mmCIF file of all heavy atoms in Angstrom:
data_model
loop_
_atom_site.group_PDB
_atom_site.id
_atom_site.type_symbol
_atom_site.label_atom_id
_atom_site.label_comp_id
_atom_site.label_asym_id
_atom_site.label_seq_id
_atom_site.Cartn_x
_atom_site.Cartn_y
_atom_site.Cartn_z
ATOM 1 N N ASP A 67 46.884 105.273 63.660
ATOM 2 C CA ASP A 67 47.086 103.836 63.433
ATOM 3 C C ASP A 67 48.048 103.209 64.443
ATOM 4 O O ASP A 67 48.223 102.001 64.449
ATOM 5 C CB ASP A 67 47.641 103.587 62.019
ATOM 6 C CG ASP A 67 46.640 103.948 60.943
ATOM 7 O OD1 ASP A 67 45.443 104.016 61.251
ATOM 8 O OD2 ASP A 67 47.078 104.159 59.796
ATOM 9 N N TRP A 68 48.669 104.022 65.279
ATOM 10 C CA TRP A 68 49.682 103.530 66.215
ATOM 11 C C TRP A 68 49.142 102.414 67.097
ATOM 12 O O TRP A 68 49.815 101.410 67.324
ATOM 13 C CB TRP A 68 50.218 104.674 67.065
ATOM 14 C CG TRP A 68 51.215 104.247 68.079
ATOM 15 C CD1 TRP A 68 51.023 104.108 69.422
ATOM 16 C CD2 TRP A 68 52.574 103.880 67.846
ATOM 17 N NE1 TRP A 68 52.169 103.679 70.032
ATOM 18 C CE2 TRP A 68 53.143 103.533 69.077
ATOM 19 C CE3 TRP A 68 53.363 103.805 66.697
ATOM 20 C CZ2 TRP A 68 54.459 103.128 69.208
ATOM 21 C CZ3 TRP A 68 54.675 103.396 66.835
ATOM 22 C CH2 TRP A 68 55.217 103.057 68.066
ATOM 23 N N ASN A 69 47.922 102.574 67.600
ATOM 24 C CA ASN A 69 47.348 101.556 68.491
ATOM 25 C C ASN A 69 47.037 100.260 67.746
ATOM 26 O O ASN A 69 46.944 99.203 68.370
ATOM 27 C CB ASN A 69 46.082 102.095 69.165
ATOM 28 C CG ASN A 69 46.403 103.210 70.127
ATOM 29 O OD1 ASN A 69 47.476 103.240 70.712
ATOM 30 N ND2 ASN A 69 45.482 104.146 70.271
ATOM 31 N N ASP A 70 46.901 100.322 66.444
ATOM 32 C CA ASP A 70 46.691 99.111 65.649
ATOM 33 C C ASP A 70 48.017 98.461 65.255
ATOM 34 O O ASP A 70 48.098 97.248 65.107
ATOM 35 C CB ASP A 70 45.890 99.436 64.378
ATOM 36 C CG ASP A 70 44.496 99.951 64.696
ATOM 37 O OD1 ASP A 70 43.960 99.570 65.750
ATOM 38 O OD2 ASP A 70 43.974 100.748 63.892
ATOM 39 N N ILE A 71 49.030 99.277 65.086
ATOM 40 C CA ILE A 71 50.341 98.792 64.645
ATOM 41 C C ILE A 71 51.043 97.988 65.735
ATOM 42 O O ILE A 71 51.579 96.910 65.475
ATOM 43 C CB ILE A 71 51.242 99.972 64.221
ATOM 44 C CG1 ILE A 71 50.707 100.615 62.961
ATOM 45 C CG2 ILE A 71 52.679 99.540 64.032
ATOM 46 C CD1 ILE A 71 51.419 101.895 62.613
ATOM 47 N N CYS A 72 51.033 98.515 66.941
ATOM 48 C CA CYS A 72 51.812 97.899 68.027
ATOM 49 C C CYS A 72 51.479 96.426 68.270
ATOM 50 O O CYS A 72 52.392 95.603 68.315
ATOM 51 C CB CYS A 72 51.652 98.709 69.306
ATOM 52 S SG CYS A 72 52.560 100.258 69.252
ATOM 53 N N PRO A 73 50.209 96.055 68.428
ATOM 54 C CA PRO A 73 49.935 94.631 68.668
ATOM 55 C C PRO A 73 50.367 93.724 67.518
ATOM 56 O O PRO A 73 50.792 92.587 67.742
ATOM 57 C CB PRO A 73 48.414 94.574 68.861
ATOM 58 C CG PRO A 73 47.999 95.941 69.171
ATOM 59 C CD PRO A 73 48.985 96.854 68.531
ATOM 60 N N LYS A 74 50.272 94.221 66.297
ATOM 61 C CA LYS A 74 50.677 93.398 65.141
ATOM 62 C C LYS A 74 52.177 93.129 65.157
ATOM 63 O O LYS A 74 52.615 92.004 64.901
ATOM 64 C CB LYS A 74 50.289 94.106 63.841
ATOM 65 C CG LYS A 74 48.812 94.159 63.582
ATOM 66 C CD LYS A 74 48.526 94.913 62.294
ATOM 67 C CE LYS A 74 47.048 95.087 62.060
ATOM 68 N NZ LYS A 74 46.774 95.887 60.852
ATOM 69 N N ILE A 75 52.957 94.147 65.430
ATOM 70 C CA ILE A 75 54.414 93.967 65.427
ATOM 71 C C ILE A 75 54.871 93.198 66.659
ATOM 72 O O ILE A 75 55.824 92.423 66.593
ATOM 73 C CB ILE A 75 55.122 95.328 65.307
ATOM 74 C CG1 ILE A 75 54.791 95.947 63.950
ATOM 75 C CG2 ILE A 75 56.629 95.181 65.451
ATOM 76 C CD1 ILE A 75 55.396 97.292 63.698
ATOM 77 N N GLU A 76 54.184 93.371 67.773
ATOM 78 C CA GLU A 76 54.568 92.651 68.992
ATOM 79 C C GLU A 76 54.370 91.146 68.858
ATOM 80 O O GLU A 76 54.984 90.367 69.579
ATOM 81 C CB GLU A 76 53.779 93.186 70.182
ATOM 82 C CG GLU A 76 54.251 94.558 70.623
ATOM 83 C CD GLU A 76 53.369 95.177 71.690
ATOM 84 O OE1 GLU A 76 52.398 94.522 72.133
ATOM 85 O OE2 GLU A 76 53.652 96.324 72.074
ATOM 86 N N LYS A 77 53.528 90.715 67.932
ATOM 87 C CA LYS A 77 53.302 89.280 67.708
ATOM 88 C C LYS A 77 54.371 88.638 66.822
ATOM 89 O O LYS A 77 54.455 87.422 66.738
ATOM 90 C CB LYS A 77 51.927 89.053 67.074
ATOM 91 C CG LYS A 77 50.784 89.362 68.010
ATOM 92 C CD LYS A 77 49.458 89.161 67.320
ATOM 93 C CE LYS A 77 48.318 89.567 68.223
ATOM 94 N NZ LYS A 77 47.025 89.495 67.541
#
Side-chain angles (χ1 to χ4, degrees):
D67 294 340
W68 178 256
N69 293 330
D70 297 331
I71 292 171
C72 286
K74 290 178 185 177
I75 295 179
E76 287 173 2
K77 291 178 184 175

